[in-house]
Amino acid sequence: SDVDYVSSTVQNVEKYMGKTTIGGSKKQLSDVDYERMTVKGTCTNLEKEYLRLTSPPKASLVRPQPILEKHLRNIQESYYQGNKVHAGRQRDYLWYCSQLKAMRQDLTVQRIQNSFTVKVYETHAKIALLEDDTNEYNQSQTQLRELYDLMERRVSSGKEAKDAKLALKNRDEFIAYLIIYYVFLSGNEKYDGGSSDIFKIMLGLTKKQRENNCIRHALQVRAAVAGSDYHKFFKLQDVAPNLSDLLMDKIVPSIRQGALQRIVKSYRPSVASCFVLKELGFDTEDKSDVANGLAWMKSCGCKFDGENLVSKDTVMKDSGSGVKNSLI
């Protein structure tokens, strides 16, 4: 809702802009206060490590949008095409994460919310997924939802509509990621959202969005998990668009555990190990993957006779991966 968006945005701005230096954390800031905190950056340095602000930002330390645009292009090029060699030096993910967080901070303290802001958050979310950093992905995804809502309102009102339409170019891709992310969370005992978060997204989808390849795939993933259809799930992972397979990887342990339990109960007295591995999403053409799969099955209590899983002698062990499912 608009109220939630404003509240969240205010908190984000205050976090980066040093509210406590103006009147304490309990002070209700006015437009004048925000104008006092807003800066127009003059820094021309491309690289900048992320540091939490402990005082109002200085213009000389904040980079304007043209500088940030150049730095983002360099970051994308070195990460995706340069084997993480940036400015002649080998970089790790922590460096890229710090650079992107600093860019987000510079945009926030200048109150820049446009298609470039969206691009920065989308870049950070994708790199976080590639690096298996769920926390940073979630932070970026949360801000993207608010930014997309803002851009949608701008399109509707006609205010900065051209830029806003550009900002919404990849929205469906990230809606698909969010659906699969919520499917993953639904299997976490500490997560209380259950199916409600996914259903809220589904109710807000237009007919055109439901026909989008990424979103259609994500909805099929949700249905497969809800129906404990492990065969369908692994088939969907094989054809996952963009980076959806990386989020599906997080669901694999619980799907695989449940699938093995059902196979052991259903196929008696034995079943070909190769068949089981394939059903569990292992690549039977890859010797290393086959070895890993057999080792995992043994850790779950599986007994073997040659190339067969002896289901009648197998007593399944709890892998601890969890089987909670609140999607139904």
Side-chain angles (χ1 to χ4, degrees):
S1 69
D2 288 353
V3 173
D4 291 337
Y5 168 76
V6 171
S7 175
S8 178
T9 301
V10 166
Q11 291 174 7
N12 193 41
V13 170
E14 291 173 351
K15 167 188 170 184
Y16 283 122
M17 300 176 77
K19 172 179 176 179
T20 54
T21 65
I22 287 181
S25 60
K26 295 183 179 180
K27 177 179 177 178
Q28 190 72 28
L29 299 182
S30 65
D31 289 340
V32 174
D33 290 324
Y34 279 118
E35 288 302 324
R36 286 172 58 195
M37 290 190 293
T38 303
V39 298
K40 292 188 179 297
T42 60
C43 178
T44 58
N45 295 333
L46 292 177
E47 295 184 23
K48 176 182 171 182
E49 293 293 327
Y50 170 72
L51 294 172
R52 290 185 180 275
L53 291 178
T54 57
S55 61
K58 297 179 180 179
S60 60
L61 299 177
V62 176
R63 296 159 296 179
Q65 183 170 327
I67 299 297
L68 293 173
E69 289 177 349
K70 183 176 180 180
H71 191 37
L72 182 63
R73 287 194 298 270
N74 292 344
I75 283 177
Q76 291 174 322
E77 182 177 343
S78 67
Y79 185 86
Y80 291 111
Q81 301 165 20
N83 197 30
K84 297 184 183 177
V85 175
H86 190 97
R89 294 177 58 188
Q90 187 70 49
R91 310 289 189 172
D92 59 14
Y93 169 61
L94 292 179
W95 181 85
Y96 281 97
C97 186
S98 177
Q99 293 297 310
L100 288 164
K101 286 174 76 74
M103 292 182 72
R104 288 160 46 181
Q105 185 182 67
D106 283 357
L107 289 167
T108 301
V109 298
Q110 294 176 93
R111 296 168 75 185
I112 298 174
Q113 295 176 312
N114 54 25
S115 61
F116 176 68
T117 308
V118 171
K119 190 174 183 179
V120 170
Y121 278 96
E122 287 178 343
T123 299
H124 200 173
K126 286 185 174 183
I127 289 179
L129 281 178
L130 289 167
E131 298 288 343
D132 196 25
D133 187 346
T134 307
N135 184 52
E136 282 298 337
Y137 157 75
N138 184 46
Q139 288 185 33
S140 294
Q141 178 75 79
T142 299
Q143 290 302 313
L144 279 171
R145 290 186 70 186
E146 296 174 356
L147 286 167
Y148 289 145
D149 288 345
L150 173 62
M151 298 305 155
E152 187 65 48
R153 290 196 294 274
R154 287 181 180 176
V155 170
S156 299
S157 67
K159 178 184 177 183
E160 303 176 41
K162 185 177 180 180
D163 180 76
K165 287 180 180 179
L166 180 63
L168 293 170
K169 181 177 65 173
N170 300 319
R171 177 175 57 173
D172 289 350
E173 175 185 348
F174 282 85
I175 288 176
Y177 294 153
L178 188 59
I179 291 172
I180 298 176
Y181 179 66
Y182 279 147
V183 171
F184 160 63
L185 288 183
S186 71
N188 188 332
E189 294 180 356
K190 296 181 180 179
Y191 175 62
D192 297 324
S195 59
S196 61
D197 288 325
I198 297 179
F199 287 147
K200 285 177 184 176
I201 296 174
M202 291 172 65
L203 288 172
L205 294 175
T206 65
K207 181 180 178 181
K208 184 178 180 181
Q209 285 179 316
R210 286 180 175 273
E211 294 172 351
N212 175 272
N213 181 52
C214 296
I215 293 178
R216 184 171 65 250
H217 174 270
L219 292 174
Q220 290 174 338
V221 170
R222 188 210 74 83
V225 175
S228 299
D229 189 343
Y230 57 86
H231 183 81
K232 180 68 172 178
F233 176 87
F234 288 116
K235 288 290 185 183
L236 286 168
Q237 190 169 31
D238 288 340
V239 296
N242 302 311
L243 302 181
S244 292
D245 63 313
L246 299 179
L247 284 165
M248 292 180 73
D249 279 343
K250 299 185 177 303
I251 310 173
V252 165
S254 60
I255 291 292
R256 193 166 273 166
Q257 177 74 15
L260 184 57
Q261 289 175 344
R262 293 175 68 181
I263 289 172
V264 167
K265 289 181 180 179
S266 303
Y267 293 85
R268 296 283 179 149
S270 64
V271 59
S273 300
C274 183
F275 168 78
V276 178
L277 289 169
K278 202 166 187 179
E279 287 296 290
L280 295 177
F282 290 101
D283 183 358
T284 54
E285 300 296 322
D286 185 330
K287 291 183 178 180
S288 176
D289 210 32
V290 169
N292 289 335
L294 291 173
W296 177 79
M297 289 169 65
K298 288 179 182 177
S299 73
C300 292
C302 292
K303 302 297 181 182
F304 296 91
D305 181 10
E307 296 183 353
N308 291 327
L309 163 64
V310 184
S311 51
K312 68 181 182 67
D313 293 336
T314 294
V315 178
M316 292 291 296
K317 300 175 184 177
D318 185 3
S319 69
S321 58
V323 294
K324 175 177 177 267
N325 185 350
S326 60
L327 295 176
I328 301 175

